[in-house]
Amino acid sequence: MRISTAQVFAKSAESLNSTSNSLFKIQQQLSTGKKILQPSDDPLASAQILKLTQEVEKTEQYQSNIDISRRRISLEETTLNAINTATLRVKELAIQANSGAVSDTDRTLIANELKEVEKELLGLMNTKDVQGEYLFSGYKGFEAAYSYDGASDSYVYNGDEGRRSIQVGSDNKVVSTDTGFEIFEKVPGVLTLTATAGTEFSERIITDHTAFQKFTDDLGPATINFDTGAGTYSVTDKNGDPVFSGNPAAELTGIAYQPGDAIEFEGVRLVIDNPADGALVLGTEEQRENVLNMVHNLAASLLSTNTAGAEGNNKLDEAVDRALLLMEGIQNKNIEARGSIGGRINALDHQQDVNEDFLLFTKEARSAFEDLDYNEAISEFALQQTSLNAAYSSFAKIQELSLFNFIR
């Protein structure tokens, strides 16, 4: 077989290019630390690397979500702690205001301090997060959670009941917000007396909410039967049995009555100036108040109550007793909310540890496909370098093989 000079040069050039390309590829691998420089190097491994990279990026986003949630939940916890502290101060002031050693002038000063606490509570309940959204407004993040309504002389909730959840794991979502409706509006209510059509009360006071609540739950509602001809009244429970009052307890049946006399039983004090013949059912309803309205109404009661007479003292007792009962429910709801927050923070911490382990495992798996074995690559680089040097040397010898060099 005859080999032409052109063939010799072409084959030599092809060999040199191939060896140079192999050497250049290894050099790129060494400089980047990556075994696969382009998908064509290993299509199967490239697909695995892409999939694992997506898992890493997704898990890193979960970790970022955890950090965001923890900051927001921690801010909520701090805010609720401050609200609870303010509520405890209100409780102290309420008990102080009901002391017999405190004058009406002193109660005015206490009411003024309650108004300052009211302002503080409004600010806390309208706390914003770092993104400028109101913490307790639900999905209405850019609308203040609470505002004062002059027409009703009360504070109203402007948010909704939406609770935002955020993905912190492949199959795990954590609630990152709580609404003012859930924490401040759904507090246990306090029993109140409802107006009765056709009946005018000059005094209608619950002097002992606990006793009246127990009676209402067990035997209520009470019915007052008036006999104006005989000038008497009787009180019965829901079963028609007589109600007892006083110490020692006496049956309230056929009790003499004059307009303006007080009827007292089971924590209730009633004065009806012009009773009508027949039965009067004592209607009740359970009213809820958020902490702002509780403080607002307590301050108003302290300012408007004159304790010079027995009626004023009774009204003061009712206002304070009602406020203390509401505060108990408000504080319990606050504790419940903070307990839920603590549980969620623990869940976030646990999920973060799980995510870190998953990231480590996934990155190790990706490294097995993607990262270069430097020992192997350096050895291969040295081998290819030797091959290229040999190719250059042999080509230099071959190109001198010509007939003219032989006969010269």
Side-chain angles (χ1 to χ4, degrees), residues 173-193:
K173 288 184 178 181
V174 171
V175 175
S176 62
T177 61
D178 291 299
T179 67
F181 183 84
E182 181 69 28
I183 299 175
F184 307 122
E185 297 296 317
K186 292 177 69 175
V187 297
V190 174
L191 206 62
T192 58
L193 296 171

Side-chain angles (χ1 to χ4, degrees), residues 45-65:
S46 296
Q48 291 298 318
I49 290 169
L50 182 60
K51 181 180 178 181
L52 293 169
T53 298
Q54 290 174 342
E55 290 296 323
V56 167
E57 291 173 350
K58 187 165 61 175
T59 305
E60 287 175 344
Q61 182 60 56
Y62 293 153
Q63 296 292 71
S64 177
N65 290 350

Side-chain angles (χ1 to χ4, degrees), residues 237-281:
D237 60 25
K238 67 178 180 180
N239 300 317
D241 297 327
V243 173
F244 291 78
S245 180
N247 188 16
E251 182 179 307
L252 296 180
T253 301
I255 305 299
Y257 180 84
Q258 293 291 330
D261 287 350
I263 301 173
E264 297 185 77
F265 63 92
E266 299 294 349
V268 177
R269 177 183 170 86
L270 305 170
V271 177
I272 306 175
D273 293 333
N274 297 300
D277 275 328
L280 169 64
V281 178

Side-chain angles (χ1 to χ4, degrees), residues 63-326:
Q63 296 292 71
S64 177
N65 290 350
I66 287 173
D67 291 336
I68 293 170
S69 297
R70 186 184 287 110
R71 285 196 298 270
R72 188 180 179 96
I73 292 174
S74 296
L75 175 60
E76 182 182 335
E77 183 179 32
T78 301
T79 304
L80 290 177
N81 281 333
I83 290 173
N84 187 61
T85 300
T87 307
L88 289 174
R89 179 56 183 162
V90 172
K91 189 174 184 178
E92 293 173 1
L93 292 172
I95 294 171
Q96 182 182 352
N98 204 28
S99 170
V102 175
S103 66
D104 287 341
T105 301
D106 295 331
R107 270 185 278 274
T108 300
L109 297 176
I110 292 172
N112 290 334
E113 183 176 347
L114 285 172
K115 289 182 178 181
E116 295 303 316
V117 176
E118 181 182 324
K119 294 176 185 177
E120 178 190 357
L121 286 168
L122 179 61
L124 289 169
M125 292 162 73
N126 283 334
T127 297
K128 293 181 179 180
D129 62 16
V130 294
Q131 290 154 333
E133 293 190 61
Y134 288 96
L135 202 60
F136 299 111
S137 291
Y139 292 147
K140 297 181 178 180
F142 293 101
E143 187 171 347
Y146 282 91
S147 61
Y148 177 72
D149 179 22
S152 62
D153 189 31
S154 64
Y155 290 93
V156 294
Y157 179 61
N158 302 311
D160 56 28
E161 299 181 47
R163 303 177 72 195
R164 303 182 191 182
S165 297
I166 192 166
Q167 191 92 17
V168 295
S170 58
D171 296 307
N172 189 10
K173 288 184 178 181
V174 171
V175 175
S176 62
T177 61
D178 291 299
T179 67
F181 183 84
E182 181 69 28
I183 299 175
F184 307 122
E185 297 296 317
K186 292 177 69 175
V187 297
V190 174
L191 206 62
T192 58
L193 296 171
T194 58
T196 304
T199 303
E200 293 184 2
F201 293 89
S202 58
E203 188 175 340
R204 186 176 52 156
I205 297 173
I206 300 176
T207 56
D208 188 337
H209 282 84
T210 303
F212 185 59
Q213 181 76 59
K214 185 177 186 307
F215 170 79
T216 303
D217 291 342
D218 297 341
L219 299 170
T223 301
I224 306 172
N225 289 279
F226 289 98
D227 185 344
T228 56
T232 62
Y233 72 89
S234 301
V235 183
T236 56
D237 60 25
K238 67 178 180 180
N239 300 317
D241 297 327
V243 173
F244 291 78
S245 180
N247 188 16
E251 182 179 307
L252 296 180
T253 301
I255 305 299
Y257 180 84
Q258 293 291 330
D261 287 350
I263 301 173
E264 297 185 77
F265 63 92
E266 299 294 349
V268 177
R269 177 183 170 86
L270 305 170
V271 177
I272 306 175
D273 293 333
N274 297 300
D277 275 328
L280 169 64
V281 178
L282 197 60
T284 61
E285 66 178 0
E286 194 174 76
Q287 290 185 345
R288 292 175 173 176
E289 285 185 2
N290 60 54
V291 63
L292 287 170
N293 287 329
M294 181 271 293
V295 177
H296 182 74
N297 293 334
L298 178 59
S301 295
L302 296 184
L303 289 172
S304 63
T305 301
N306 183 347
T307 58
E311 182 180 348
N313 280 294
N314 288 333
K315 287 183 177 179
L316 176 63
D317 288 342
E318 180 187 37
V320 172
D321 190 35
R322 175 182 173 80
L324 291 176
L325 277 178
L326 283 167

